[in-house]
Amino acid sequence: MSNLPEPVRVVQLPDGTYTYADHLPTPLQPTAPQVVHQHIHQAPPDRTVQRIALGSGIGAGTVAAGVYFGPLLVGALTAIAANLALLAFLATVMAWGVVSVVKSVGGPDGKAAAKTLSKARKRRR
């Protein structure tokens, strides 16, 4: 009968669960809960421009001014571009009107001048 294996023991662990004795870790001692020291830091701002600006030494007031005046600058530049486009359109219409009047009123000299101008434009292309 010495060929029989040892009987398997079942033990109850400190947490109340059961396990086989041969599966126990070598040092089965009750362990105290581990204390974890964790330092929580506030995350940096997620905006790259602000991160660069604050990192380069300029103050938060400058960053706030950029945030406030940036859209105002874009709006002002858009308004200027719209005004320039309107002025360019008016200049084109006025030039066309002057050329039309010179053609119709100028007689043969006006027509010759308009013809010369149109030939010069075609050569530039």
Side-chain angles (χ1 to χ4, degrees):
M1 293 251 190
S2 63
N3 294 341
L4 292 175
E6 292 182 18
V8 180
R9 286 185 342 153
V10 176
V11 294
Q12 184 177 11
L13 295 176
D15 63 355
T17 59
Y18 292 94
T19 186
Y20 293 108
D22 59 346
H23 292 292
L24 290 176
T26 331
L28 181 62
Q29 298 173 351
T31 58
Q34 293 181 350
V35 178
V36 177
H37 295 282
Q38 184 176 10
H39 299 280
I40 300 173
H41 299 279
Q42 184 177 359
D46 196 29
R47 297 181 181 169
T48 306
V49 174
Q50 290 180 356
R51 193 177 307 142
I52 292 170
L54 291 173
S56 65
I58 63 174
T62 307
V63 174
V67 170
Y68 180 75
F69 289 113
L72 290 178
L73 178 64
V74 169
L77 291 176
T78 304
I80 291 170
N83 287 336
L84 289 175
L86 180 64
L87 289 174
F89 176 73
L90 288 176
T92 304
V93 169
M94 300 281 282
W96 175 78
V98 169
V99 168
S100 297
V101 168
V102 168
K103 270 187 187 179
S104 63
V105 175
D109 291 336
K111 289 181 183 175
K115 197 176 204 180
T116 305
L117 284 175
S118 69
K119 284 182 184 177
R121 285 187 198 148
K122 289 178 184 174
R123 285 185 201 149
R124 276 192 242 161
R125 292 182 189 172

